[in-house]
Amino acid sequence: MHFLTIDDFEVDGKTILVRTDLNSGLDENKEPKDNIRIKYHSGTIKELSDKGAKVVVMTHQGRVNSRDFICLEKHAKLLENHTEKDVKYIDDIFGSYAKNTIKSMKKGDIVLLENVRFSAEETSVDKDSHLSHMVKQLAPILDYYVNDSFAANHRNHVSLVGFPQVLPSFAGRILQKELDVLTKVLDNPKRPSVLCLGGAKVDDSIKVIEQMLFNNSTDRVLTTGLVAMVFLAANGDYIGNATHKVLVEKKADLEIKYAKKLLKKYRDKIIMPVDFAVEVEGRRVEIPFSALPSDYPLLDIGQDTIELYKNIIHNAATVLCNGPAGVFEKEGFETGTVELFRAMEKSKAFSVLGGGDSAIAAERLGMLDKIDHVSTGGGAFILFISGKNLPAVDALINSAKKYGSLITRVTNDT
Ligand code: 3PG
């Protein structure tokens, strides 16, 4: 995978558009909560600013009609806290105000443009993105484009795939690190390599399991959360109406069918829970596998499963984990998630945690710094580890082919 990076270009004095993903959860006042995306992107922004670039930051926030579809004024404050530099918020994307501000920037300045999804073009142009108004207005006043938004790289949106077609473009530090780490753990993991998958997104998870087993990227798959329920159902184990209802609501029939095929082929590699936690009169009660079917929803893995999985993680050399092991937001049912994260932290294995709910859980538990790599990506992470190409990464690779000869510094090949 050949794309260019910050190391390939002399950025001093250059005007650079940095597409980040500062898409954040909101607090009760509808303000963005500080989070790893803002923290990590600040590193790339600060580095470019320290090197004398004029840094124009772009991001989306929320989706049209959703509660979190807000402007970015408060995001600028959070970026200021992390970069310890002034970040000027511009309530414009590519109009005269934005363009004049960009033209008047000095070396080291940082501006944050308005939520790029406020422009309907961002998500609606599905081909020739480079002919969009956004790209046509901004590209002539920019020297380079930096894609740092791994978490949005599965989107075919204008700000992600349009600019690399008309500007020399390179990966920011986050994207570079994500691709580097994830490619290594997929293509050449240290053995034994363990995949631990939970959470509620069963369709994506089944694809990941299929791909990683097929490619021999993993030696063991530890199933938790709803993913485990799909495999139990595929195995012919009747889990009980309460949990089965959730699978029906999720329309998981197809996944159960796939899971059956996977069990047929890789039964010795796919591990299912041996006990569970349910809620009885507001309390956590553990039940063994033999007590299934249960009238109560299965909300977490039980202690025997935790010990079994911890032991496998302890002896692993690589652990890739995505999705909480249970309903971790519910008091008493965070145990499985916490214990498995702790096992990752204690294990000598190189540990990678998927973004989205897993990163939120790790952040809430104060464990972010204890995992070797916490991905900023939710959907993008899952798609990438299930072997799919990310359109924005493809755009960057194509840009490297087109503009590689313009490299202005000694390159580190990636
Ligand atoms: C995410 O939060 O996963 C990314 O920011 C992508 O957001 P989207 O799913 O709204 O495109």
Side-chain angles (χ1 to χ4, degrees):
M1 196 186 295
H2 183 83
F3 52 85
L4 304 171
T5 74
I6 294 176
D7 301 314
D8 294 317
F9 289 92
E10 184 54 69
V11 298
D12 186 23
K14 301 295 184 195
T15 307
I16 305 181
L17 181 68
V18 185
R19 175 58 158 101
T20 56
D21 186 337
L22 306 177
N23 191 20
S24 306
L26 306 185
D27 63 17
E28 55 286 2
N29 301 319
K30 261 186 102 176
E31 291 191 4
K33 287 194 256 183
D34 201 5
N35 62 77
I36 56 163
R37 289 184 178 172
I38 295 180
K39 182 175 166 194
Y40 292 177
H41 280 301
S42 295
T44 302
I45 294 166
K46 185 168 163 27
E47 179 180 345
L48 290 168
S49 161
D50 285 346
K51 288 180 169 165
K54 303 167 192 174
V55 188
V56 183
V57 182
M58 181 179 262
T59 181
H60 69 279
Q61 166 67 50
R63 296 178 186 171
V64 179
N65 289 331
S66 67
R67 175 182 180 267
D68 58 353
F69 193 52
I70 59 168
C71 68
L72 302 181
E73 190 171 4
K74 294 290 182 327
H75 295 68
K77 291 277 159 263
L78 293 172
L79 285 178
E80 284 191 335
N81 296 344
H82 286 292
T83 56
E84 297 177 336
K85 289 176 177 246
D86 288 338
V87 176
K88 187 173 173 162
Y89 158 70
I90 308 291
D91 62 351
D92 188 14
I93 307 169
F94 52 84
S96 305
Y97 178 37
K99 286 192 290 184
N100 289 336
T101 307
I102 293 171
K103 283 185 212 155
S104 67
M105 286 173 80
K106 300 194 176 51
K107 279 163 67 154
D109 281 355
I110 305 169
V111 302
L112 173 63
L113 298 176
E114 187 52 284
N115 185 348
V116 70
R117 288 191 183 168
F118 284 6
S119 162
E121 252 190 341
E122 167 68 351
T123 52
S124 60
V125 175
D126 50 12
K127 61 178 177 107
D128 293 334
S129 294
H130 62 295
L131 300 178
S132 61
H133 289 284
M134 188 191 312
V135 175
K136 281 211 273 194
Q137 292 298 318
L138 290 182
I141 54 171
L142 300 168
D143 293 298
Y144 300 134
Y145 169 82
V146 169
N147 175 354
D148 205 27
S149 60
F150 173 72
N153 270 213
H154 56 315
R155 303 292 180 212
N156 196 19
H157 295 167
V158 167
S159 68
L160 291 155
V161 298
F163 291 102
Q165 296 178 53
V166 295
L167 284 173
S169 302
F170 44 99
R173 295 301 185 202
I174 297 205
L175 181 64
Q176 188 184 354
K177 182 165 180 243
E178 295 264 18
L179 295 177
D180 186 36
V181 168
L182 298 181
T183 305
K184 259 183 215 144
V185 298
L186 292 180
D187 292 355
N188 197 14
K190 290 214 168 85
R191 305 286 178 168
S193 169
V194 172
L195 174 65
C196 181
L197 277 189
K201 292 183 185 149
V202 284
D203 47 345
D204 291 334
S205 297
I206 298 289
K207 285 179 203 140
V208 171
I209 295 172
E210 189 176 15
Q211 174 72 13
M212 289 190 65
L213 285 171
F214 180 76
N215 282 349
N216 195 25
S217 307
T218 187
D219 302 299
R220 284 283 180 83
V221 181
L222 310 180
T223 63
T224 64
L226 221 48
V227 180
M229 303 308 141
V230 166
F231 277 96
L232 288 166
N235 199 36
D237 301 318
Y238 190 54
I239 43 187
N241 278 341
T243 309
H244 189 74
K245 220 176 93 193
V246 185
L247 293 183
V248 172
E249 278 163 16
K250 287 250 161 202
K251 299 190 176 77
D253 288 10
L254 199 63
E255 281 70 39
I256 294 173
K257 225 165 99 185
Y258 274 131
K260 261 186 201 153
K261 280 192 196 159
L262 291 174
L263 280 176
K264 222 168 168 184
K265 216 166 159 193
Y266 306 105
R267 175 165 291 270
D268 53 328
K269 295 191 170 186
I270 300 171
I271 323 287
M272 287 172 266
V274 293
D275 61 348
F276 310 89
V278 296
E279 187 178 26
V280 182
E281 291 171 5
R283 280 187 321 110
R284 177 186 174 104
V285 172
E286 300 210 350
I287 56 166
F289 175 80
S290 58
L292 295 182
S294 166
D295 290 338
Y296 299 101
L298 308 176
L299 299 181
D300 195 9
I301 51 174
Q303 205 54 47
D304 288 347
T305 309
I306 291 173
E307 290 310 319
L308 174 73
Y309 286 9
K310 270 166 71 172
N311 196 32
I312 295 172
I313 291 172
H314 178 76
N315 293 310
T318 305
V319 181
L320 184 60
C321 181
N322 190 59
V327 187
F328 77 97
E329 313 87 313
K330 199 172 172 66
E331 209 187 316
F333 297 90
E334 68 283 46
T335 315
T337 306
V338 175
E339 290 288 323
L340 297 188
F341 284 0
R342 284 220 177 101
M344 285 171 77
E345 175 198 335
K346 283 194 193 132
S347 154
K348 290 200 177 70
F350 182 73
S351 54
V352 177
L353 191 62
D357 285 348
S358 319
I360 292 170
E363 198 164 22
R364 194 172 293 172
L365 302 168
M367 298 177 88
L368 275 184
D369 297 336
K370 297 173 179 148
I371 309 284
D372 292 304
H373 179 74
V374 179
S375 179
T376 52
F381 172 84
I382 284 283
L383 218 69
F384 191 76
I385 66 169
S386 66
K388 301 280 183 313
N389 283 10
L390 305 183
V393 174
D394 288 346
L396 215 51
I397 294 170
N398 288 334
S399 183
K401 285 182 199 147
K402 188 167 173 186
Y403 296 105
S405 60
L406 301 181
I407 288 173
T408 53
R409 298 191 58 199
V410 178
T411 151
N412 278 351
D413 201 355
T414 47

